[in-house]
C-alpha cells in the first residue's frame, strides 16, 4: 500500500512539473508535437530512474559513510551528465529520427532540474533503495503525463485561431497554468495513503 501511495502522489498530487515546477525547460521546449514528447518522456524516464539508483547508491555507499555530503550536488551532476551522454549515443544508433527530433533538448536533459531534484528528494525524504526507484519511475511517469497532455493541447492550439498577441509562448503558459489547476484537483488523495 505504501508503494501505491508513492506512485499516486508522485504522478498526480506532487507532479514534478505542475506542483514542484521542475523540468520546465524541456516541458516548454519539446511540447509542440506528441511524438517528440513521447520520445523525450522515454529518455527522461530512463535517465531519471538510472540516475536516482546510481546517486542513491553513491550517497549511501560513499558520500554519507565518509562524511562527504558536501560533494553530493557535484557528484550527482557528473553522474547525470554521463548518463545523458550514454542515452544520446544509444538514441543516435537506435532511432536517428527521434535523435534529430529531440535536437538540442536531448543534451539539455543534463541540466534538467527534475532529474537532479528527484535525486536530491529521495535522500531528503529518507527513502530506501526500492522506494527511491519507485519514486523515480513514478515521477518520470508524471513528467511524461504532463508533457504528453500539454503537447496534445499545444498541437490542438496550433490548429485554432489565437489572437496574435497570445500566439506562441503566452498561450502555452496560460494553458500550462490551467492544466496545473486541473492537477490541483488531485490534492487530498495523498491523505488516503497516510
Amino acid at each position: 500500500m505504501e508503494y501505491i501511495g508513492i506512485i499516486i502522489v508522485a504522478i498526480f498530487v506532487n507532479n514534478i512539473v505542475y506542483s514542484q515546477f521542475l523540468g520546465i525547460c524541456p516541458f516548454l521546449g519539446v511540447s509542440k508535437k506528441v511524438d517528440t514528447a513521447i520520445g523525450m518522456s522515454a529518455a527522461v524516464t530512463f535517465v531519471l530512474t538510472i540516475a536516482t539508483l546510481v546517486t542513491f547508491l553513491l550517497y549511501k555507499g560513499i558520500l554519507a559513510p565518509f562524511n562527504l555530503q558536501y560533494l553530493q550536488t557535484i557528484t550527482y551532476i557528473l553522474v547525470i551528465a554521463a548518463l545523458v551522454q550514454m542515452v544520446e549515443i544509444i538514441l543516435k544508433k537506435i532511432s536517428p529520427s527521434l535523435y534529430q527530433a529531440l535536437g538540442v533538448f536531448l543534451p539539455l536533459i543534463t541540466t534538467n532540474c527534475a532529474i537532479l531534484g528527484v535525486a536530491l528528494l529521495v535522500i531528503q525524504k529518507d527513502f530506501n533503495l526500492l522506494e527511491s526507484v519507485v519514486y523515480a519511475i513514478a515521477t518520470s511517469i508524471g513528467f511524461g503525463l504532463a508533457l504528453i497532455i500539454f503537447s496534445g493541447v499545444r498541437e490542438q492550439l496550433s490548429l485554432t485561431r489565437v489572437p496574435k498577441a497570445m500566439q506562441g509562448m503566452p498561450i502555452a503558459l496560460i494553458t500550462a497554468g490551467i492544466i496545473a489547476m486541473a492537477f490541483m484537483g488531485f490534492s487530498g488523495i495523498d491523505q488516503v495513503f497516510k
Side-chain angles (χ1 to χ4, degrees):
M1 190 68 163
E2 182 179 334
Y3 294 107
I4 294 171
I6 291 173
I7 292 168
I8 299 295
V9 169
I11 294 173
F12 298 109
V13 179
N14 291 332
N15 185 283
I16 197 82
V17 175
Y18 293 129
S19 293
Q20 298 181 30
F21 306 112
L22 297 173
I24 298 295
C25 179
F27 174 74
L28 293 173
V30 188
S31 61
K32 292 181 181 169
K33 292 185 178 180
V34 173
D35 295 339
T36 311
I38 291 170
M40 180 59 125
S41 298
V44 167
T45 298
F46 177 76
V47 172
L48 183 62
T49 304
I50 300 300
T52 302
L53 177 66
V54 172
T55 55
F56 180 88
L57 294 173
L58 275 172
Y59 184 84
K60 295 293 184 178
I62 297 171
L63 297 178
F66 294 107
N67 283 334
L68 298 172
Q69 290 93 338
Y70 61 92
L71 294 174
Q72 181 181 20
T73 304
I74 191 71
T75 305
Y76 288 10
I77 290 171
L78 291 173
V79 167
I80 292 166
L83 288 170
V84 169
Q85 288 298 317
M86 187 176 72
V87 168
E88 195 169 354
I89 291 167
I90 291 170
L91 272 182
K92 198 172 192 179
K93 291 195 185 282
I94 293 175
S95 180
S97 60
L98 180 58
Y99 176 79
Q100 290 294 326
L102 291 174
V104 72
F105 293 104
L106 188 57
L108 284 178
I109 293 176
T110 304
T111 58
N112 186 344
C113 56
I115 295 172
L116 180 60
V118 169
L120 293 170
L121 282 171
V122 296
I123 299 300
Q124 191 178 59
K125 292 177 183 267
D126 200 29
F127 284 155
N128 62 35
L129 181 62
L130 185 57
E131 289 171 337
S132 298
V133 171
V134 167
Y135 181 74
I137 292 169
T139 300
S140 61
I141 291 169
F143 178 82
L145 179 68
L147 189 60
I148 292 166
I149 289 171
F150 188 58
S151 63
V153 172
R154 282 188 78 178
E155 275 188 6
Q156 192 64 34
L157 279 172
S158 69
L159 302 174
T160 60
R161 292 184 58 192
V162 177
K164 188 167 179 76
M166 296 299 291
Q167 290 177 356
M169 200 51 67
I171 195 69
L173 291 173
I174 290 170
T175 303
I178 292 170
I179 296 171
M181 287 192 305
F183 268 73
M184 284 177 62
F186 293 112
S187 60
I189 291 178
D190 56 338
Q191 300 302 317
V192 172
F193 298 102
K194 288 186 179 180

